[in-house]
Amino acid sequence: MLRAGIPARGVGGLRWAARMASVQLLSQLYDVALLDLDGVVYVGAHPVRHAPQALQAARRDGMRLAFVTNNASRPPERVATHLTDIGVEASPAEVVTSAQAAARMLAERLPDGSKVLVVGGEGLEVALRERDLVPVASADDGPVAVVQGFSPHVDWRMLAEGTYAVAAGLLWVATNLDPVVPTDRGRAPGNGTLVHAIRTATGREPLAAGKPEPPMHREAMLRSNATRPLVVGDRLDTDVEGANAAGVDSLLVLTGVTDPDELVLAPPRLRPTYVGHDLRALHHPPQRLMLRAGETRAGQWEAVVRDGTLRLDRGDAAAPAATAGTLGRSGEVESESGGGADPAALDPDGQDALDALRAACGAVWAADQEVDPASVHQALESARIARRRASSY
């Protein structure tokens, strides 16, 4: 599969280049946004700032939405209800879970009516029944496979039943291998941690369905009928890596766990196509958000790597005053002091900060030498684009 933003050779590539030149917004260039949830659309019980309005505007532009989550604990109906309650229009058909991806993997390997031992919750049971598979709760019930997904109700008994079945040689599929899950109180053990318990007890490894593995985005593309999808997420190691593995473009938003330092220092497999402060980036032209190795100039900023050190410079001598502040959790520029000019008013959409970040990525990604992380942090901090972490998520 071709990456959506990279034209192929020949006539097809010329047509795509012409489309790139004529389209003004990401929401017009791509037909479906494959949206991660935690840290992108919501954090716990609250929407990420600007998310409801930005997604509503994307729909008006003709972009379809798919809400893609590694969390297998809730069925799509409950996820859609939660989204609607926080002001994000969503239907169950638009929700894609790792439980559904895992169920498809099993259905492709097992005959209809096969019994599958569930180490997890309601979301897995619903997904299995959708694929004409029968969920069971004990290794004594005659299962031919095991599926494991996160649920806050997983206990020792469930893990023991899963261990008995996996040790007997049954097919074992994990919805995802995320070691932690975000909660209102911080990070808690995720499905990867629970999978490790059975792995330790049996010495076996499961097949994985969730991000960054290809089955997750394959499921999302099949369910949404996407032909030009854009993966939107806040994590390099799941959302972006999964998009790269699937061969599609990605937009990293800075409303979740990834900070600018991590983006600049990302290895090739973790590098997104675009970067934006938040979901309002869907309404920006691709050229304002694109990241490319070797493109060391963006807006007024120029970046260079010398002797393993990153340096960021801006042509306008008045730049420091115009960009003073840090990127808050919502991606907006926040003042570092209570008085003086409001930086957000000077740069209302944060484009100047994004330009500095894009130039830094272009220089570091093209460097033929290892770049000192401390110099990256210092350069970004001096350009006033270091983001303040607002929560433990």
Side-chain angles (χ1 to χ4, degrees):
M1 183 184 300
L2 289 174
R3 287 179 58 85
I6 300 177
R9 295 181 183 273
V11 175
L14 293 175
R15 288 174 179 166
W16 182 257
R19 179 176 177 81
M20 280 281 286
S22 63
V23 172
Q24 294 183 337
L25 309 174
L26 289 182
S27 56
Q28 297 169 327
L29 179 61
Y30 298 92
D31 64 338
V32 180
L34 305 182
L35 296 147
D36 181 49
L37 293 178
D38 285 309
V40 176
V41 179
Y42 58 64
V43 175
H46 305 286
V48 170
R49 192 177 181 188
H50 306 298
Q53 299 86 349
L55 294 177
Q56 185 178 33
R59 289 188 191 274
R60 288 197 300 267
D61 289 340
M63 177 177 253
R64 291 180 285 118
L65 308 179
F67 301 96
V68 185
T69 176
N70 260 3
N71 193 325
S73 64
R74 298 181 295 174
E77 289 78 8
R78 287 178 56 196
V79 176
T81 297
H82 174 53
L83 287 167
T84 301
D85 288 345
I86 63 172
V88 177
E89 177 188 348
S91 69
E94 293 175 317
V95 177
V96 185
T97 72
S98 61
Q100 294 171 323
R104 185 185 294 272
M105 289 178 67
L106 288 164
E108 291 172 343
R109 292 165 170 81
L110 303 173
D112 290 352
S114 295
K115 294 180 179 181
V116 179
L117 175 64
V118 174
V119 182
E122 180 187 6
L124 274 173
E125 295 174 2
V126 170
L128 290 174
R129 292 191 183 102
E130 182 186 32
R131 293 292 170 191
D132 295 322
L133 299 172
V134 180
V136 298
S138 171
D140 294 333
D141 292 334
V144 295
V146 179
V147 65
Q148 184 171 2
F150 173 77
S151 168
H153 304 297
V154 170
D155 56 14
W156 181 90
R157 183 195 61 79
M158 281 190 182
L159 292 172
E161 292 295 333
T163 298
Y164 303 146
V166 170
L170 272 61
L171 172 65
W172 180 25
V173 174
T175 59
N176 66 290
L177 300 177
D178 297 348
V180 298
V181 294
T183 74
D184 291 339
R185 296 174 61 189
R187 299 185 181 211
N191 196 54
T193 300
L194 301 175
V195 164
H196 187 65
I198 295 180
R199 179 193 290 123
T200 300
T202 64
R204 293 189 59 199
E205 289 287 337
L207 300 176
K211 296 178 287 187
E213 302 303 323
M216 184 78 249
H217 285 128
R218 173 182 174 232
E219 186 73 16
M221 286 185 275
L222 288 172
R223 287 179 177 267
S224 64
N225 296 313
T227 58
R228 297 185 312 279
L230 177 68
V231 172
V232 184
D234 70 309
R235 300 184 68 107
L236 298 177
D237 59 349
T238 54
D239 305 312
V240 173
E241 184 174 7
N244 289 337
V248 299
D249 286 354
S250 60
L251 165 65
L252 177 77
V253 291
L254 300 175
T255 50
V257 299
T258 301
D259 63 30
D261 290 38
E262 293 169 324
L263 173 60
V264 174
L265 293 167
R269 65 184 175 84
L270 302 183
R271 295 172 183 172
T273 315
Y274 309 102
V275 63
H277 294 307
D278 52 50
L279 287 176
R280 291 176 297 173
L282 292 173
H283 311 293
H284 287 194
Q287 294 81 0
R288 295 181 66 187
L289 308 174
M290 188 170 288
L291 298 166
R292 285 179 176 165
E295 290 197 358
T296 59
R297 292 188 179 186
Q300 298 293 324
W301 292 91
E302 183 173 6
V304 63
V305 173
R306 290 196 183 98
D307 299 325
T309 298
L310 172 67
R311 179 179 174 83
L312 268 171
D313 292 299
R314 192 171 193 254
D316 181 359
T323 58
T326 59
L327 296 184
R329 185 174 180 80
S330 69
E332 291 197 344
V333 180
E334 298 178 346
S335 176
E336 290 185 337
S337 62
D342 179 5
L346 295 169
D347 184 22
D349 62 0
Q351 185 62 41
D352 190 73
L354 277 185
D355 286 342
L357 184 57
R358 291 168 58 217
C361 287
V364 172
W365 293 1
D368 58 1
Q369 57 190 297
E370 186 174 347
V371 180
D372 179 17
S375 78
V376 171
H377 182 76
Q378 183 176 355
L380 296 181
E381 193 172 61
S382 66
R384 306 298 179 93
I385 59 173
R387 185 170 66 90
R388 182 185 302 117
R389 285 188 180 274
S391 82
S392 56
Y393 169 70

